[in-house]
Amino acid sequence: MSGFNKAKVDAEFFAGTGIKSNFLCNRGYGDTFKIMPRSPRPANAGDARADPGFRERSPSRRAR
């Protein structure tokens, strides 16, 4: 997650160290009675996976 106050996170969790925060990652499970249901996926969300040439054109695949 981005868009958080890095200075406050660093002061709270990393005070006195050389460590600085870059992003936040929430791992775990919410209360199933309080969390909102997942939003629907965009209509074009599967386009990249449906394109047979996508893997060959992907920069991360060429670097290997």
Side-chain angles (χ1 to χ4, degrees), residues 4-5 9 13 16 21-23 30 38 50 55 57-58 60 62:
F4 61 95
N5 188 324
V9 170
F13 295 99
S21 59
N22 185 17
F23 68 95
R38 181 177 175 172
R55 293 184 73 135
R57 292 191 306 268
S58 174
S60 62
R62 276 188 259 136

Side-chain angles (χ1 to χ4, degrees), residues 8 14-15 28 40 50 60:
K8 286 186 179 182
F14 306 119
S60 62

Side-chain angles (χ1 to χ4, degrees), residues 5-64:
N5 188 324
K6 293 179 183 180
K8 286 186 179 182
V9 170
D10 295 345
E12 182 70 26
F13 295 99
F14 306 119
T17 71
I19 299 172
K20 294 188 182 283
S21 59
N22 185 17
F23 68 95
L24 295 178
C25 179
N26 182 17
R27 295 183 56 162
Y29 299 93
D31 183 339
T32 55
F33 295 104
K34 294 181 182 177
I35 59 175
M36 293 175 26
R38 181 177 175 172
S39 296
R41 295 185 65 112
N44 63 350
D47 288 353
R49 290 186 302 274
D51 180 1
F54 177 74
R55 293 184 73 135
E56 288 75 27
R57 292 191 306 268
S58 174
S60 62
R61 300 295 291 180
R62 276 188 259 136
R64 292 181 183 181

